[in-house]
Amino acid sequence: MSSAVLVLEDGRTFRGTTFGATGRTLGEAVFCTGMTGYQETLTDPSYHRQIVVATAPQIGNTGWNQEDGEAASAQDPNKIWVAGYVVRDPARRTSSWRATGSLQEQLEAQSVVGIAGIDTRALVRHLRTRGSMRAGVFSGDALGTDAEMLDQVVGQPSMLGADLAGEVTTDAGYIIEPVGGDARFTVVAVDLGIKTNTPRMFAERGIRVHVVPSAASMDQILELNPDGVFLSNGPGDPATADANVALTREVLDRGLPLFGICFGNQIFGRALGRSTYKMKFGHRGMNIPVVEHTTGRIAITAQNHGFALEGEAGEEFDTDFGRARVSHTCANDGTVEGVELLSGRAFSVQYHPEAAAGPHDAAYLFDRFTSVLEGVDK
């Protein structure tokens, strides 16, 4: 293995060895605390343009398979969306009956530049203290002096102000049919970076899903005669998504039931008049507790976001579509984790109830949305 260097925009460097492809990659350095599910993480479109640091000390022992990819909008669901991968100790041997290859092989095949053998605990402590920041991984011919590499890192655009949903959305609409029978309802899912398991969760509840590009118009949605609309997860700064916010307002104006997750939560919140902000280092992992304020129920959730909505726990506020409230917050830091109209026809959460790698505490939200569809007269 040859030498590799991780360079952060504040000048901090970490030296290790190549992992995956050799070359250069640039992106925002973020850390993910998940102990499992690295394949789902790497293929999640929400990580587009981010260099992911794994806090788990060993990565790669279960290899790579053909079933767990979450890149729904890509031709290949196993397309890796992360800009780069940073690990401490890559597994030397793949040990899973489901594996069709190794993680190293897949990173190489998809030209994903990574680095291994660094003190990831020190790196994560640095990012927690200083915040997520621009970074680069360099190896092989891309290696240069520290000053040369730092110039490339600081020369890249920031995630603040990044409009990325259009880069990960599907090129054309497609349909996921319900499991085991006729469709009870039809839902249009606006693909802002949707994951493979989301339409599957709807299909298991007898719902036909029309996945449409992020630039779909209200007229195009109405042509599909939907019973409800879904706003997916996705990458980038929600403050740039004015067109999606306008579309959401049209959906709400027509009284269509609406459900959103992650980026979709931020879009829905903006449609209700709330503002968003960039978090210091975000929430990325599978063990984040969320409080539902109407019930006091706590769910352990999977999350992946670096932006959030402004608001306070249980806060109620007026909107153009009726009274609304902050329905969920993070038990760790009070971050807004969900908003809803008091009418019950539209709601969203910041976390991932469809999390394929788990946990599954929040899967009931798909049932809640199905109940909303059942109670609507068309």
Side-chain angles (χ1 to χ4, degrees), residues 308-327:
L309 288 170
E310 298 277 5
E312 302 293 334
E315 175 188 356
E316 292 194 7
F317 53 98
D318 291 319
T319 78
D320 293 337
F321 314 100
R323 193 85 170 150
R325 69 180 155 218
V326 174
S327 56

Side-chain angles (χ1 to χ4, degrees), residues 1 68 144 264 306 309 316 342 347 364:
M1 291 182 290
D68 290 347
L309 288 170
E316 292 194 7
L342 297 191
F347 65 94
Y364 74 93

Side-chain angles (χ1 to χ4, degrees), residues 89-298:
D89 181 17
R92 289 173 289 179
R93 178 182 301 173
T94 294
S95 180
S96 172
W97 64 271
R98 300 176 68 232
T100 56
S102 71
L103 174 57
Q104 166 72 22
E105 292 167 348
Q106 194 63 216
L107 292 171
E108 288 179 343
Q110 298 198 38
S111 301
V112 178
V113 176
I115 183 172
I118 71 169
D119 186 345
T120 50
R121 184 170 182 175
L123 172 57
V124 170
R125 287 175 64 89
H126 186 72
L127 294 176
R128 281 181 58 88
T129 301
R130 301 294 297 272
S132 298
M133 63 183 75
R134 292 171 294 179
V137 179
F138 303 83
S139 57
D141 293 341
L143 286 168
T145 66
D146 286 358
E148 290 170 340
M149 293 185 290
L150 181 59
D151 283 344
Q152 297 175 60
V153 168
V154 299
Q156 67 178 302
S158 169
M159 191 60 69
L160 188 67
D163 185 3
L164 302 180
E167 298 180 13
V168 302
T169 191
T170 182
D171 293 330
Y174 59 93
I175 302 173
I176 302 296
E177 293 290 351
V179 175
D182 296 333
R184 299 171 56 203
F185 303 105
T186 296
V187 166
V188 171
V190 181
D191 179 7
L192 306 166
I194 198 168
K195 297 200 289 184
T196 301
N197 201 43
T198 303
R200 188 183 300 145
M201 296 286 278
F202 282 119
E204 289 173 354
R205 290 158 174 82
I207 296 173
R208 175 182 291 116
V209 183
H210 288 268
V211 181
V212 299
S214 62
S217 68
M218 191 68 214
D219 287 342
Q220 290 171 320
I221 289 176
L222 291 176
E223 287 176 2
L224 301 172
N225 194 28
D227 298 293
V229 174
F230 173 77
L231 302 175
S232 82
N233 61 290
D237 185 345
T240 66
D242 291 344
N244 299 120
V245 172
L247 175 67
T248 302
R249 290 181 62 85
E250 289 188 75
V251 171
L252 296 172
D253 268 333
R254 291 180 177 272
L256 283 168
L258 182 137
F259 176 28
I261 63 171
C262 198
F263 198 73
N265 175 66
Q266 297 158 8
I267 299 304
F268 177 48
R270 282 197 58 201
L272 298 181
R274 313 300 285 185
S275 58
T276 60
Y277 64 95
K278 192 176 191 300
M279 302 170 72
K280 184 175 182 180
F281 49 80
H283 294 162
R284 298 174 182 87
M286 302 160 63
N287 58 349
I288 300 168
V290 169
V291 181
E292 183 177 30
H293 293 291
T294 55
T295 64
R297 177 176 179 172
I298 296 176

